[in-house]
Amino acid sequence: METEKRIKERLGVETAVVAMGGHAFIRKDEKGSIEDHEKNAAEICGRIMSLIERNYNVVVTHGNGPQVGNLLLKNEMTKEELVSMPLDVLVAETEGSLGYILQQAMLNQLRRRNINRYVVTVISQVLIDKGDPAFRNPSKPIGPFLTKEEAEKRRDTLGWQIIDDSGRGWRRVVPSPRPVKIIQRHTIRDSARAGHIVIACGGGGIPVINNANNDYQGVEAVIDKDLTASILAADIDAELLIILTDVENVFLNYGKPDQQPLYAVTVDMLEKFIEEGHFAPGSMGPKVGAVLEFLKKGGRRALITCPERLEEALAGRAGSHFVGRV
Ligand code: ADP
Ligand code: MG
């Protein structure tokens, strides 16, 4: 089989999972037009080429916060005229649309460089536990910011659970259960090992449970994309997990006068820093949590940096590097 031949040819080639945040598609002060999406995707795919040029197998995963938020709003605005779709379907829609945008940007970068690699997007289901405590305590704000009155109206008419999101406005909240495993992990791994660039688990993946009939069934929840990236990297036996965000380094005492960038960190050091509370829960917390989980499951290396520093970081001259127990 062609795939098996390619996998044999690429034996020993390392696989990297690259996870990127919302900035990959929409920058501060942008509206998120298709032109914005294409420009930003081209930029980040250009950066990812430094992994391709180093001959890594590459799996890319990405967030979908603003995009799924828009779909939720559209759903709601047209609910009198059109049938609305549940959140799991909307996540699938963003996996498709953002997958297309990334796929096209990636192909264009490869063509410019005359590199003969293929790109594929996998609509990815992620298994969660139906008994996950997150279902009793929905905590993930999604969709647009609303006034208190608007939010309460939607709570009463649509059955939403709502919260005051850090004083910035009112939002819908949904459960954010932990990812257990990636249903498409074999396909993703085999494609990556054959050298194809795989885009998978967009938006943290589509949350599905095993229902009473032992069937898979989508649920209205969202999975943290950083935690999914960690499970994905472990499930496909990746050597390297790279988390791209909008800071060049992870810091101790972040935002304080004595803040200190981290350069090389072992698992033991990372556990200690997490215990000391250096990483904010909704932002850096899940990223370092994802790194820790990946390394504890046998992952070799992880890197957190910004796209602009990726190339230098791969050469060991930038970014925060994390190593597993040897
Ligand atoms: P993404 O969209 O990539 O998930 P987030 O905003 O969720 O981005 O997370 C990145 C942010 O985490 C940074 O912009 C920074 O403000 C924040 N942050 C919190 N704690 C730290 C820390 N200890 N070191 C660096 N950044 C931190
Ligand atoms: Mg985040």
Side-chain angles (χ1 to χ4, degrees):
M1 232 166 76
E2 175 61 14
T3 312
E4 272 173 29
K5 190 171 145 247
R6 282 187 71 117
I7 290 174
K8 277 210 187 98
E9 276 168 16
R10 295 184 64 80
L11 258 180
V13 173
E14 290 198 347
T15 298
V17 168
V18 185
M20 50 214 203
H23 58 274
F25 297 107
I26 305 177
R27 297 290 167 90
K28 267 202 197 86
D29 303 323
E30 287 180 351
K31 281 225 168 79
S33 66
I34 182 61
E35 290 80 11
D36 293 336
H37 275 76
E38 284 176 346
K39 171 179 66 73
N40 296 322
E43 151 101 33
I44 205 154
C45 290
R47 305 286 180 189
I48 290 173
M49 288 300 124
S50 53
L51 278 164
I52 303 298
E53 278 157 0
R54 285 166 186 262
N55 199 32
Y56 277 94
N57 298 324
V58 174
V59 176
V60 175
T61 182
H62 59 83
N64 72 344
Q67 295 83 7
V68 83
N70 265 345
L71 288 180
L72 281 161
L73 187 57
K74 282 184 190 169
N75 238 347
E76 197 194 311
M77 288 166 78
T78 58
K79 67 179 187 296
E80 306 300 337
E81 297 84 29
L82 302 170
V83 177
S84 293
M85 286 292 153
L87 188 51
D88 52 315
V89 175
L90 302 188
V91 174
E93 286 183 29
T94 62
E95 283 195 343
S97 55
L98 296 174
Y100 155 59
I101 291 169
L102 272 181
Q103 207 169 278
Q104 188 142 285
M106 203 73 84
L107 282 171
N108 287 337
Q109 292 292 331
L110 294 168
R111 284 157 66 109
R112 279 189 206 171
R113 291 169 171 77
N114 277 320
I115 299 172
N116 182 25
R117 304 259 301 254
Y118 301 103
V119 188
V120 63
T121 297
V122 176
I123 301 297
S124 314
Q125 289 142 280
V126 177
L127 187 67
I128 56 178
D129 181 352
K130 60 175 176 263
D132 194 298
F135 287 105
R136 291 191 297 277
N137 177 29
S139 64
K140 175 70 184 167
I142 56 164
F145 288 94
L146 305 166
T147 63
K148 188 163 188 249
E149 296 69 47
E150 276 172 347
E152 283 173 350
K153 193 172 136 207
R154 286 162 214 206
R155 177 193 62 198
D156 298 339
T157 55
L158 300 169
W160 286 9
Q161 292 192 268
I162 55 169
I163 56 147
D164 180 359
D165 189 357
S166 343
R168 292 176 297 176
W170 287 74
R171 294 176 90 187
R172 179 181 180 189
V173 279
V174 295
S176 185
R178 292 186 66 79
V180 176
K181 71 177 173 198
I182 316 298
I183 308 290
Q184 282 75 25
R185 63 196 177 283
H186 305 99
T187 314
I188 297 166
R189 185 180 55 203
D190 290 353
S191 307
R193 284 194 182 168
H196 308 318
I197 298 165
V198 187
I199 299 158
C201 296
I206 304 161
V208 303
I209 55 165
N210 256 322
N211 72 13
N213 299 326
N214 204 26
D215 283 336
Y216 291 134
Q217 187 185 316
V219 290
E220 292 217 89
V222 293
I223 311 177
D224 181 89
K225 68 160 198 316
D226 297 314
L227 294 183
T228 296
S230 163
I231 299 292
L232 172 64
D235 269 3
I236 67 168
D237 303 314
E239 278 78 13
L240 174 60
L241 171 63
I242 302 176
I243 300 184
L244 298 179
T245 183
D246 57 359
V247 284
E248 180 176 338
N249 285 92
V250 180
F251 289 85
L252 297 182
N253 302 317
Y254 181 68
K256 300 187 187 141
D258 60 342
Q259 71 171 19
Q260 198 187 320
L262 293 174
Y263 299 113
V265 183
T266 63
V267 175
D268 300 316
M269 288 160 76
L270 182 58
E271 279 191 307
K272 181 170 151 278
F273 296 149
I274 290 173
E275 250 169 53
E276 290 170 356
H278 287 282
F279 314 114
S283 52
M284 193 49 76
K287 296 184 202 308
V288 292
V291 164
L292 182 65
E293 194 160 331
F294 173 63
L295 296 179
K296 279 187 153 179
K297 282 186 177 162
R300 262 188 252 154
R301 292 175 291 136
L303 165 66
I304 300 181
T305 192
C306 57
E308 294 76 11
R309 289 282 166 274
L310 176 60
E311 184 159 17
E312 274 191 89
L314 290 173
R317 292 195 300 269
S320 298
H321 296 258
F322 304 86
V323 288
R325 292 194 177 93
V326 278

